[in-house]
Amino acid sequence: MSTPPSIVQKFAAARHDRQLAVLEGFHAVKHALRFGATIDVVVGTNANEVDHLAEALAPDIRDQLRHGLQVVDGEVFSRLAPHAPPSGVLAIASRPPVDVGDLIREPHARPIVLLEDPRNLSNLGACVRVAAAADAAGVLTTGRQDPWHPEAVRAAAGLHFALPVAHVEESWFPGRPLVAVDPGGAGFRPSRLPGRAVLAFGAERYGLSQHLLEAADERISIPMRSGVSSLNLATAVAAVLFAWRLASAHGPDA
Ligand SMILES: C[S@@+](CC[C@H](N)C(=O)[O-])C[C@H]1O[C@@H](n2cnc3c(N)ncnc32)[C@H](O)[C@@H]1O
């Protein structure tokens, strides 16, 4: 009979498994539970401290956390992540399946965020976090990074579970206008943004590819003070999504 993998082996394997997500820190685990994640294992170093955190910050998930928590000692915990989170909580969850075709066909007037080959995982996670907060339809990425990388999930505070997030090979979205968000575009009028747009943002250093700029139905820019070359990627996503949200039926006057 084979022995079950140790918790250290389990976390190490989960980091390379595209069906699984490693959740680092209390907030990531909190959002995953709140948005219906299927959790495989939750570990912590101190059950009382985790319980107090849940009581103070997330009473809605306190019972789930309390019943599921597996306590491990500090030495084992420090081997489960490259930078063990100070909150002393880590988990492994199943990634929810995403049907990109269904996402594209979603009838609601909510944009999809497309990140073209983002390089920085913290930036990528910050984009997912703001897209979830603005109630965007989903986040799609192209290029080299896995949008579910533990570093991106940590930066998103686990909000990958709040909306569809997936990697795609093709930037082709039938039935949805493709809007290139680019410092060289025309001045952005939030109330004119098509509700079902795919909003494409470029890589941190290089911006959008020529191919995507040419494929776009329109190019828009966020006005900036003279002398400033560009905004940080996640900041640009936040500016466009919240301008859209405040100007649309989702806004405060809705
Ligand atoms: C750090 S910027 C890339 C800078 C790159 N050198 C360029 O000129 O596009 C990353 C992405 O954020 C978005 N972005 C940043 N500032 C912007 C602005 N003022 N208007 C429109 N998009 C902007 C674009 O999608 C851009 O590709």
Side-chain angles (χ1 to χ4, degrees), residues 134-209:
D135 199 20
V139 177
L140 299 175
T141 68
T142 65
R144 63 204 74 188
Q145 299 289 19
D146 172 12
W148 283 83
H149 188 287
E151 223 177 298
V153 175
R154 184 174 183 153
L159 283 161
H160 286 62
F161 292 90
L163 78 177
V165 177
H167 184 274
V168 290
E169 298 299 332
E170 297 278 331
S171 308
W172 191 61
F173 310 99
R176 284 196 180 248
L178 180 61
V179 176
V181 185
D182 180 73
F188 165 40
R189 305 275 294 273
S191 59
R192 300 231 179 125
L193 199 65
R196 298 187 72 256
V198 172
L199 301 170
F201 296 84
E204 291 85 348
R205 181 176 300 186
Y206 303 101
L208 285 165
S209 66

Side-chain angles (χ1 to χ4, degrees), residues 14-104:
R15 287 185 177 276
H16 304 286
D17 187 331
R18 294 251 171 167
Q19 308 294 315
L20 299 175
V22 174
L23 312 174
E24 300 180 345
F26 178 82
H27 292 290
V29 175
K30 169 191 77 179
H31 280 134
L33 285 169
R34 187 172 287 157
F35 288 99
T38 303
I39 303 274
D40 178 20
V41 58
V42 196
V43 299
T45 46
N46 184 320
N48 284 335
E49 277 177 22
V50 173
D51 196 43
H52 287 138
L53 266 182
E55 184 181 38
L57 302 175
D60 56 316
I61 54 100
R62 184 181 173 196
D63 282 348
Q64 273 174 285
L65 201 49
R66 188 192 282 164
H67 293 132
L69 191 76
Q70 187 177 324
V71 177
V72 296
D73 77 37
E75 193 278 323
V76 171
F77 190 79
S78 70
R79 292 162 59 202
L80 303 183
H83 305 285
S87 59
V89 189
L90 286 163
I92 299 172
S94 299
R95 299 186 189 190
V98 174
D99 186 322
V100 176
D102 282 352
L103 171 62
I104 293 167

Side-chain angles (χ1 to χ4, degrees), residues 181-183 201-205 207-208 220-222 224 230-231 233 236:
V181 185
D182 180 73
F201 296 84
E204 291 85 348
R205 181 176 300 186
L208 285 165
I220 60 168
S221 68
I222 304 159
M224 297 181 297
S230 68
L231 296 166
L233 170 60

